[in-house]
Each structure stands twice: as C-alpha cells, then as structure tokens.
Amino acid sequence: MAKPVVDTAVNNIEQNEVNSMQAELVSIKKTCSQCQTEFGCGVTAASETSSTEQSGCWCQSLPAVMPLDELSDCLCQSCLAKAVGAEIIKQLDAAGSPKARLAIAEPYRHQTELVENVDFTIENGLYVFSEWYHLKRARCCGNNCRHCAYK
C-alpha cells in the first residue's frame, strides 16, 4: 500500500521539475528601446526575477565591449549589433597601434558566428568584412580586403 503513495509523490516531484524547466525556457517579450520593434529576449523567465543572473540571452553571443548601463533598456538584435559595432570602432580607433588593436579582439577569437554590423556589412549584395572580423581572424587572407588590419 505504501508503494502507490511513494510512486505518486515521485511523479509529483518529477512533474514539478518538468514544469520548472519549461518555465525557464519561456522567452520574455521585449520592445526595442531604439526602434520599437518587438522581439523575444532569451533570458529565461526564472532569470528575470534575479537581475544579476542573465543566462541564455542571444545578446551574450555579441562581444562584451560596452557596459549595460549605457543602454536604457534591451535592444533588438539589429540595433544592439549596430551599437556594439560602433563601440568596437571607437575602441579600435582609441587603441591606436596594431598590437593594441589585436589585443582588444583576442578574447573574442572563439566567436566564429558572424554578426551583421559587427563582423560584416552588406553593400550592393556583397559581404564587406570589418576590421574587427580581420582582427579576430588574426591573420591576413591575402584578398586585399577594404578593412584589412594587416596592410
């Protein structure tokens, strides 16, 4: 007789864990503070209750080159990529020497997924790689690129 009670209790615990995991996977609806586009933030619902824990958001795949307090609120992927790209250009210009520029990009070499407005732009249907992309690559490809960091 005790076995069905135990089985029921185990099933309830397992179901609570599944419900908890599903709640964590829910995307949070946001509105871009710059262009007013609605988008889904990848921060889990459970993380929203804790402002210090920001796990799972797509924005974490971008280079962490600017403090969050510079933004009034979340930006959509396109607007955030433009803001990060502009900040990268400012930091590279301020760095000056080629060695200092390489040092800024070095921590991001593992990020191989290309991001528009950070790693490249599209002009007349052609991909134009940024200096940031070339610095992350850490070598010249020999194709005489417009933004080659090694000329």
Side-chain angles (χ1 to χ4, degrees):
M1 257 208 194
K3 183 148 175 64
V5 172
V6 171
D7 287 343
T8 302
V10 169
N11 286 339
N12 287 342
I13 291 170
E14 289 173 351
Q15 187 59 43
N16 287 339
E17 288 177 6
V18 168
N19 291 342
S20 175
M21 288 170 57
Q22 287 174 340
E24 289 178 17
L25 297 176
V26 174
S27 182
I28 298 168
K29 295 291 181 199
K30 295 274 189 170
T31 300
C32 178
S33 61
Q34 191 162 336
C35 71
Q36 308 310 312
T37 300
E38 288 188 14
F39 64 97
C41 179
V43 174
T44 60
S47 296
E48 187 175 348
T49 59
S50 169
S51 61
T52 59
E53 185 179 329
Q54 295 283 312
S55 63
C57 188
W58 52 262
C59 66
Q60 292 178 335
S61 65
L62 295 173
V65 295
M66 53 198 265
L68 292 177
D69 60 346
E70 287 186 14
L71 303 174
S72 59
D73 197 5
C74 289
L75 299 176
C76 67
Q77 286 178 310
S78 178
C79 290
L80 184 58
K82 288 176 186 174
V84 168
E87 180 62 26
I88 287 170
I89 290 170
K90 284 184 358 188
Q91 289 185 19
L92 292 178
D93 288 346
S97 75
K99 191 173 185 175
R101 295 162 95 86
L102 275 168
I104 293 171
E106 195 279 326
Y108 303 100
R109 289 203 180 114
H110 69 281
Q111 293 180 337
T112 57
E113 187 174 328
L114 300 180
V115 178
E116 187 172 4
N117 296 312
V118 175
D119 296 302
F120 69 93
T121 55
I122 299 176
E123 296 177 17
N124 301 319
L126 301 173
Y127 284 72
V128 178
F129 292 105
S130 66
E131 180 182 7
W132 177 252
Y133 167 79
H134 293 291
L135 289 167
K136 283 191 337 182
R137 193 166 190 256
R139 61 182 162 76
C140 180
C141 63
N143 289 324
N144 197 26
C145 298
R146 181 189 316 167
H147 300 292
C148 182
Y150 306 100
K151 287 182 185 179

